[in-house]
Amino acid sequence: MPPKTQVIVNPESNRGRTRKRWSEIREALRSFFKEFRYDFTEKPFQAIDMARDAIKGGSELVIGVGGDGTMNEIANGFFENGRIINPSTSLGILPSGTGCDLMKSLRIPRGLRGALRVISETHGTPIDVGRATYTTPEGKTEGRFFLNISDFGIGGEVVRRVNERRLQRKASSYIRCLIDAMREYKGSGIRLTIDGRTWDEENCLIGAVANGRIFGKGMKIAPLARIDDGWFDVILVKGMKFLEFCRHGWKLFTGGHLSHPKISCLRTRTVEASSATGRDILLELDGEQLGKLPARFEIIPRPLLVKGWSSETVSRSDLRC
């Protein structure tokens, strides 16, 4: 009988350090799990098929070793034809990436043994999952699930710049590309439909559809969001001049930005967004720049079990946008 625990490893995560640390990671895994199978990814999107095959083969726990992009791929492998394959299979998150914003949103311990301890000792807890239907660079329509945050506007532009410049995916690279983009990026005209109501935002800098709280290497873009409440927190940042953003942008890292008059927070279960001017507006999902608007987002309440996290004790009713 095959092991009930499958480990999927992205060896290139954390700037290749995961490969170098694999012996240490493997020994730590053996301290907590008597039996497990592990496989390395060799190309983008391979983790989707690996996770799907493992679940169909009877795996009860799939542990991902990597960053946010790796976890996104594995989570997509939990679904087939839009449906969860086995509602009893749990996802374990062993952070080994440069950003690990999902881990921060879930409050999973950063350390190797701390994360493994909570994976091995806790039951799977259900979380919400976002589903995005977006436009590819070739103009086709594709769908993908996301766990943490999807955003359009300058966020997609920043990820594009990081990728084009082949920069290491660390906080300083994102901040440098964010500053460069802010100097050149002009706010975009966005048409939004939220729960059936449509309106135009003439000058939108960031539109974040948040299931989790943190993105962009530590920015608390949606500090009030909860990943298990059946709602998106949609954060809209209207256009700011460069100096204005420099004065107030640091609040994104502390979560103190929601009181700014150019920032709105809405709670919703569905969002549709498109360009109001015909200009391309890039989109990113869990840190990966995959396409552009138009796009539709919907929340799927609590289909996925995640080990190693616990819901916040603060009631969401006390945390209104």
Side-chain angles (χ1 to χ4, degrees):
M1 180 178 293
K4 297 297 185 181
T5 298
Q6 170 72 47
V7 180
I8 299 174
V9 186
N10 178 0
E12 301 308 315
S13 60
N14 200 7
R15 304 188 289 278
R17 291 175 185 168
T18 301
R19 185 187 298 277
K20 296 176 182 177
R21 293 183 61 221
W22 173 240
S23 294
E24 174 192 355
I25 296 170
R26 183 179 57 199
E27 290 308 307
L29 278 159
R30 286 173 176 165
S31 299
F32 291 92
F33 299 94
K34 291 182 179 179
E35 261 191 300
F36 61 89
R37 173 188 172 91
Y38 67 86
D39 290 296
F40 283 13
T41 61
E42 298 176 353
K43 57 186 178 181
F45 309 122
Q46 188 178 13
I48 298 174
D49 293 329
M50 286 181 170
R52 192 168 289 152
D53 290 344
I55 295 166
K56 289 182 176 181
S59 292
E60 297 173 352
L61 172 63
V62 179
I63 299 175
V65 183
D68 291 334
T70 304
M71 302 309 162
N72 178 280
E73 289 188 23
I74 293 172
N76 273 268
F78 274 65
F79 295 83
E80 188 171 54
N81 298 322
R83 296 179 177 274
I84 197 84
I85 296 171
N86 183 354
S88 299
T89 303
S90 295
L91 170 65
I93 298 173
L94 195 55
S96 185
T98 52
C100 297
D101 290 318
L102 174 64
M103 170 208 74
K104 296 168 188 172
S105 285
L106 292 172
R107 292 182 168 87
I108 291 173
R110 175 71 181 183
L112 175 60
R113 290 189 172 270
L116 282 170
R117 183 171 293 107
V118 295
I119 291 172
S120 64
E121 294 178 356
T122 61
H123 296 289
T125 304
I127 68 167
D128 301 333
V129 172
R131 177 162 48 197
T133 305
Y134 57 90
T135 306
T136 68
E138 298 76 27
K140 298 179 181 179
T141 299
E142 286 190 357
R144 192 174 177 94
F145 297 97
F146 63 99
L147 299 180
N148 192 30
I149 293 174
S150 178
D151 74 283
F152 47 86
I154 199 170
E157 177 67 22
V158 170
V159 174
R160 183 188 68 79
R161 290 174 184 240
V162 171
N163 291 339
E164 283 187 353
R165 299 177 189 181
R166 298 182 179 179
L167 298 174
Q168 294 180 342
R169 289 200 165 200
K170 53 186 180 179
S172 59
S173 299
Y174 276 75
I175 293 172
R176 185 162 69 251
C177 287
L178 174 61
I179 292 172
D180 289 347
M182 277 299 306
R183 291 191 177 113
E184 303 170 14
Y185 191 82
K186 305 298 182 184
S188 302
I190 302 287
R191 177 158 295 160
L192 292 166
T193 301
I194 294 181
D195 288 341
R197 174 174 169 250
T198 299
W199 75 95
D200 290 342
E201 288 285 350
E202 294 182 359
N203 191 12
C204 184
L205 186 65
I206 301 172
V209 182
N211 188 31
R213 300 178 300 118
I214 299 171
F215 84 144
K217 309 303 178 188
M219 294 183 188
K220 296 179 181 177
I221 186 69
L224 308 183
R226 281 190 53 162
I227 207 162
D228 64 344
D229 65 353
W231 296 87
F232 286 132
D233 280 21
V234 180
I235 309 299
L236 300 175
V237 181
K238 296 181 181 180
M240 295 184 185
K241 294 182 179 179
F242 179 70
L243 290 179
E244 184 181 11
F245 184 82
C246 289
R247 284 198 304 269
H248 299 284
W250 61 271
K251 294 179 182 178
L252 291 170
F253 288 92
T254 66
H257 57 286
L258 295 185
S259 61
H260 193 281
K262 290 188 177 180
I263 296 177
S264 303
C265 176
L266 307 167
R267 296 184 70 211
T268 183
R269 292 187 173 92
T270 62
V271 185
E272 294 179 21
S274 60
S275 172
T277 62
R279 172 186 173 186
D280 280 353
I281 300 173
L282 300 183
L283 167 80
E284 63 102 359
L285 296 154
D286 287 344
E288 300 296 324
Q289 204 280 299
L290 298 173
K292 59 185 179 179
L293 300 185
R296 185 179 192 275
F297 310 87
E298 61 180 307
I299 197 79
I300 304 173
R302 298 159 64 90
L304 179 63
L305 296 177
V306 174
K307 282 201 166 194
W309 84 286
S310 60
S311 185
E312 297 170 276
T313 57
V314 178
S315 170
R316 186 61 172 83
S317 62
D318 295 330
L319 297 175
R320 296 294 183 187
C321 289

